């Protein structure tokens, strides 16, 4: 079974430009998450989709970030305009279940990440 | 106080050693707990899940102490391939009592196993 995939693996852009990251979850996983790790910090949650709906976007840093999951399959995360502090590794994860009783149904599996560098 | 705290290490141990990592969490209502392993420049990979008091899988044992808000990971008979960063991860309690979707990560503990 294919795991979570992300594209691109690396992106180098200039401040003020736009970048769009893509995530394809494990087939059949309704729950999709975006996380980010900036240098020297821990991985932090950005948002959570259940199918095409945003369940929780409390971690989104500001309105320069826009996440979509049209059709409930793959998701995109757009940063516009990019700032220097947006540099980091953006991870996507998916799970069968999302909220509810603690069980293996809710375990999250991560993609390889997109390393974003804003110059 | 950070939500999830870990000793950053590094822990440098010889092959065959037993090593233990500790982690504390601040939210007493947290529902489930995980140890992920992350190799350099790779994604976190789920190593163990802890839903009750503990879990054991081969050389790896995780224990949970809810009263002390403390989780540990024990690795016995360390292998060179165990060298990685170990992330303590907590899933907080959701609005309706179950787990929330977002995971809260510690900064990780780096392990280096030497021949």
């Amino acid at each position: 079974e294919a795991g979570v995939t992300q594209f691109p693996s690396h992106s180098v852009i200039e401040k003020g430009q736009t970048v769009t990251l893509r995530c394809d979850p494990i087939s059949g996983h309704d729950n999709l998450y975006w996380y980010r790790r900036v240098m020297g910090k821990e991985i932090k949650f950005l948002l959570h989709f259940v199918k095409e709906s945003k369940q929780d976007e409390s971690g989104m840093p500001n309105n320069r970030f826009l996440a979509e999951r049209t059709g409930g399959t793959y998701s995109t995360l757009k940063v516009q305009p990019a700032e220097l502090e947006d540099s980091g590794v953006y991870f996507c994860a998916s799970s069968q279940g999302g909220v509810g009783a603690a069980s293996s149904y809710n375990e999250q599996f991560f993609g390889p990440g997109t390393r974003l560098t804003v110059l | 106080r950070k939500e999830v705290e870990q000793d950053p290490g590094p822990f440098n141990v010889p092959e065959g050693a037993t090593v233990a990592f500790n982690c504390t969490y601040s939210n007493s209502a947290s529902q489930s707990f995980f140890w992920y392993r992350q190799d350099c420049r790779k994604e976190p990979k789920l190593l163990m899940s802890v839903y009750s008091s503990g879990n054991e899988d081969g050389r790896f044992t995780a224990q949970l102490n809810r009263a002390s808000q403390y989780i540990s990971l024990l690795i016995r008979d360390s292998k060179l391939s165990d060298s990685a960063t170990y992330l303590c991860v907590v899933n907080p309690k959701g609005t309706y009592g179950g787990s929330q979707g977002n995971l809260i990560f510690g900064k990780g503990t780096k392990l280096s196993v030497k021949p």
Side-chain angles (χ1 to χ4, degrees):
Chain A
E1 181 184 300
V4 177
T5 58
Q6 292 187 245
F7 182 83
S9 57
H10 292 81
S11 181
V12 181
I13 61 172
E14 293 191 352
K15 176 181 169 180
Q17 289 187 319
T18 297
V19 63
T20 300
L21 315 180
R22 173 172 169 144
C23 168
D24 286 78
I26 293 171
S27 178
H29 281 194
D30 286 340
N31 292 267
L32 186 151
Y33 312 82
W34 284 98
Y35 292 86
R36 174 174 77 169
R37 184 173 205 159
V38 297
M39 190 177 292
K41 302 280 190 181
E42 64 273 22
I43 296 172
K44 282 200 181 290
F45 167 80
L46 297 178
L47 90 160
H48 170 199
F49 282 102
V50 179
K51 297 185 181 178
E52 67 276 8
S53 299
K54 291 175 186 172
Q55 172 82 14
D56 179 358
E57 50 184 332
S58 62
M60 294 287 263
N62 52 60
N63 59 10
R64 295 186 293 104
F65 288 75
L66 175 64
E68 294 181 321
R69 194 183 181 196
T70 307
T73 54
Y74 71 91
S75 173
T76 58
L77 178 65
K78 182 161 74 172
V79 186
Q80 179 183 30
E83 298 288 344
L84 299 178
E85 64 264 25
D86 300 333
S87 294
V89 183
Y90 289 76
F91 290 106
C92 175
S94 73
S95 65
Q96 287 183 290
V99 298
S103 75
S104 60
Y105 190 64
N106 302 331
E107 289 169 354
Q108 296 183 25
F109 299 92
F110 283 74
T114 293
R115 187 171 295 274
L116 174 65
T117 303
V118 182
L119 303 175
Chain B
R1 181 185 173 187
K2 282 194 175 295
E3 291 183 89
V4 178
E5 291 206 68
Q6 296 181 249
D7 182 340
F11 283 56
N12 298 306
V13 303
E15 269 188 292
T18 295
V19 61
F21 304 136
N22 301 321
C23 170
T24 57
Y25 60 95
S26 61
N27 185 344
S28 60
S30 296
Q31 290 290 293
S32 43
F33 308 86
F34 308 92
W35 285 99
Y36 279 77
R37 171 200 167 121
Q38 187 173 27
D39 292 283
C40 188
R41 293 185 167 256
K42 298 286 189 181
E43 73 271 24
K45 289 191 189 294
L46 182 61
L47 179 65
M48 295 190 80
S49 305
V50 185
Y51 302 114
S52 56
S53 60
N55 193 5
E56 183 171 332
D57 182 5
R59 297 183 295 110
F60 299 85
T61 300
Q63 290 198 309
L64 168 65
N65 183 323
R66 286 188 186 270
S68 302
Q69 294 177 213
Y70 168 97
I71 316 148
S72 64
L73 177 68
L74 184 76
I75 305 176
R76 289 179 295 277
D77 189 22
S78 300
K79 312 289 185 194
L80 297 177
S81 57
D82 294 333
S83 297
T85 295
Y86 290 82
L87 304 171
C88 177
V89 184
V90 172
N91 196 332
K93 183 178 179 179
T95 306
Y96 304 104
S99 296
Q100 241 172 236
N102 59 305
L103 298 179
I104 300 173
F105 284 78
K107 289 186 76 171
T109 298
K110 187 170 181 180
L111 172 66
S112 181
V113 182
K114 307 290 187 185

